[in-house]
């Protein structure tokens, strides 16, 4: 059209199909408990990695992009400002988070900080054992060489882990949905959840978790009925 070869762009008149929004897949509390019990039998590296996926709600690449220098042990929080991705033409590479709001600080509970300290001590022993073979790039989760992990290695490990312990299918993103869902069910507002997830807009969070919010609101209604309306 710019060259004057055609009078208009026919693609501009195309009717786009409406995208069907799927309900988010999240684990129930009893499923999370089963996963945590199974993790106790796994290496500390994977225990820490899966624990962070659940507690932070971070994307897979964001967890793999975490570095020790961005962990505030005194303030009990981490700075998510890096992501590890993969593409066939580039390979494994580092990138900035998905959106400006994805660059965020996430507060962590005492239990998580304790686990990270234990894991850091284990990793230090491994680095000493491997010597010059280990190229320290400050990644919390790295290959045996110290280089960043392939994102698909997390997916592969979770698949084998679920089969090993007779658990339902597990993917990394389900932990993100689980964290958000549990916060909604416990009365946390959309703005706070959106910030923790690193969404660019609160409306994005509300749209993704509309069904979960509806379920949570029904639960709230039942609680209010129990408190105010039912006779002892």
């Amino acid at each position: 059209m710019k060259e004057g070869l055609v009078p208009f762009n026919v693609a501009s008149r195309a009717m786009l199909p409406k995208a069907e929004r799927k309900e988010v897949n999240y684990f129930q509390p009893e499923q999370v408990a089963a996963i945590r019990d199974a993790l106790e039998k796994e290496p500390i590296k994977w225990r820490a990695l899966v624990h962070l996926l659940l507690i932070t709600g971070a994307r897979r690449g964001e967890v793999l992009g975490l570095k020790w220098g961005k962990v505030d042990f005194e303030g009990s929080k981490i700075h998510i400002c890096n992501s590890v991705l993969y593409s066939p033409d580039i390979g494994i590479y580092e990138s900035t988070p998905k959106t400006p709001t994805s660059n965020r600080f996430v507060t962590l509970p005492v239990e998580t900080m304790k686990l990270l300290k234990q894991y850091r001590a284990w990793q230090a022993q491994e680095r000493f054992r491997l010597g010059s073979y280990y190229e320290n790039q400050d990644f919390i989760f790295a290959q045996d060489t110290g280089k960043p992990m392939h994102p698909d290695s997390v997916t592969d490990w979770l698949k084998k882990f679920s089969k090993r312990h007779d658990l339902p299918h597990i993917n990394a993103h389900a932990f993100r949905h689980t964290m958000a869902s549990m916060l909604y069910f416990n009365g946390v507002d959309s703005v706070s959840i959106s910030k923790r997830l690193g969404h660019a807009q609160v409306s994005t969070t509300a749209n993704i978790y509309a069904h979960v919010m509806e379920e949570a609101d029904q639960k709230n209604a039942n609680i209010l009925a129990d408190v105010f309306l039912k006779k002892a």
Side-chain angles (χ1 to χ4, degrees):
M1 190 170 67
K2 289 180 180 178
E3 296 292 334
L5 300 176
V6 292
F8 61 89
N9 179 9
V10 294
S12 65
R13 298 187 180 184
M15 296 293 291
L16 298 177
K18 291 184 178 180
E20 293 184 9
R21 186 169 296 280
K22 297 180 180 179
E23 291 183 10
V24 296
N25 173 36
Y26 63 93
F27 300 117
Q28 297 297 327
E30 59 271 17
Q31 292 175 312
V32 174
I35 291 171
R36 291 190 61 203
D37 287 343
L39 282 172
E40 291 301 315
K41 303 170 186 176
E42 299 293 338
I44 190 170
K45 174 182 177 178
W46 291 102
R47 268 192 283 144
L49 194 154
V50 176
H51 185 102
L52 280 179
L53 284 171
L54 176 64
I55 295 297
T56 65
R59 302 172 180 92
R60 180 183 66 175
E62 291 175 337
V63 170
L64 294 184
L66 288 172
K67 297 188 177 183
W68 288 114
K70 301 300 180 181
V71 179
D72 181 357
F73 283 99
E74 291 186 3
S76 295
K77 58 186 177 183
I78 56 174
H79 184 192
I80 297 176
C81 58
N82 193 44
S83 191
V84 168
L85 305 171
Y86 171 82
S87 69
D89 54 330
I90 301 175
I92 302 172
Y93 66 97
E94 293 182 66
S95 179
T96 54
K98 195 174 181 180
T99 64
T101 49
S102 292
N103 188 326
R104 63 201 185 278
F105 288 89
V106 176
T107 303
L108 302 175
V110 174
E111 293 84 355
T112 304
M113 301 312 297
K114 182 179 179 181
L115 178 59
L116 282 177
K117 287 179 181 178
Q118 292 173 348
Y119 171 61
R120 184 175 59 170
W122 174 87
Q123 190 186 67
Q125 292 179 338
E126 281 296 289
R127 283 168 52 190
F128 178 78
R129 182 180 67 84
L130 294 168
S132 59
Y133 176 74
Y134 191 93
E135 181 187 339
N136 185 23
Q137 298 183 25
D138 201 38
F139 284 105
I140 295 179
F141 303 106
Q143 300 181 45
D144 292 341
T145 59
K147 295 180 180 179
M149 292 172 61
H150 193 303
D152 285 347
S153 64
V154 177
T155 303
D156 293 341
W157 188 88
L158 287 172
K159 183 179 180 180
K160 294 174 182 176
F161 167 73
S162 60
K163 287 184 177 180
R164 195 158 53 241
H165 296 280
D166 196 26
L167 295 167
H169 173 70
I170 301 173
N171 65 77
H173 218 70
F175 289 112
R176 181 173 171 85
H177 292 324
T178 300
M179 185 213 71
S181 299
M182 291 306 106
L183 290 179
Y184 272 120
F185 279 116
N186 283 278
V188 179
D189 61 280
S190 292
V191 175
S192 300
I193 296 173
S194 183
K195 287 182 178 179
R196 193 171 183 89
L197 291 171
H199 283 160
Q201 297 178 328
V202 178
S203 59
T204 301
T205 311
N207 289 336
I208 293 174
Y209 297 100
H211 180 67
V212 173
M213 291 167 67
E214 186 178 334
E215 285 187 36
D217 193 48
Q218 180 60 52
K219 178 184 175 183
N220 293 337
N222 293 337
I223 292 173
L224 290 172
D226 287 338
V227 173
F228 297 124
L229 305 179
K230 292 183 179 178
K231 295 181 180 180

